[in-house]
Amino acid sequence: MIFQYEANEVFRFAEEQLKMYFSACVSQSDRYVFHLGKGEEFLAKWHLRADALRYDGFYLKRAGDDIVIGGNFERSVLFGVYELLERQGCVFVIG
């Protein structure tokens, strides 16, 4: 797996979560390139609209082996990471 993002604590944590759980749920997970980002500039680069998102909304977009997780805020991106993991069959249990 390859990760591309602006370095910050939340995105580093998102990378750790994806490395830990995505590889456990998806075969050949090492072929994917994850692009994590926030804000209008990042979203526009991927032809996504920031103004179309709700407050903590996020986008999940796949383009070949590129997986884009973007939102207006850092925590929006983290929500997107967990949504992707849940779609791949990961279950998170509190308790």
Side-chain angles (χ1 to χ4, degrees):
M1 285 185 271
I2 299 170
F3 292 85
Q4 296 181 348
Y5 57 88
E6 132 192 0
N8 68 50
E9 187 177 339
V10 174
F11 289 172
R12 278 191 291 277
F13 180 73
E15 176 184 357
E16 291 172 14
Q17 296 293 286
L18 282 166
K19 282 181 176 176
M20 187 181 325
Y21 297 113
F22 192 78
S23 59
C25 296
V26 177
S27 63
Q28 299 180 336
S29 62
D30 58 335
R31 73 179 198 189
Y32 293 102
V33 178
F34 290 92
H35 303 271
L36 309 177
K38 63 180 175 75
E40 289 183 39
E41 187 176 327
F42 173 83
L43 295 172
K45 176 180 167 184
W46 293 97
H47 308 287
L48 303 169
R49 291 182 38 218
D51 64 339
L53 290 173
R54 292 183 182 213
Y55 184 75
D56 276 333
F58 55 85
Y59 286 106
L60 295 176
K61 179 178 181 177
R62 182 172 172 196
D65 289 339
D66 291 308
I67 298 176
V68 179
I69 306 173
N72 285 325
F73 306 102
E74 292 168 356
R75 73 179 184 183
S76 307
V77 175
L78 192 55
F79 294 156
V81 166
Y82 288 121
E83 176 65 24
L84 174 64
L85 292 172
E86 288 178 357
R87 289 183 186 186
Q88 300 306 316
C90 293
V91 178
F92 298 94
V93 179
I94 299 172

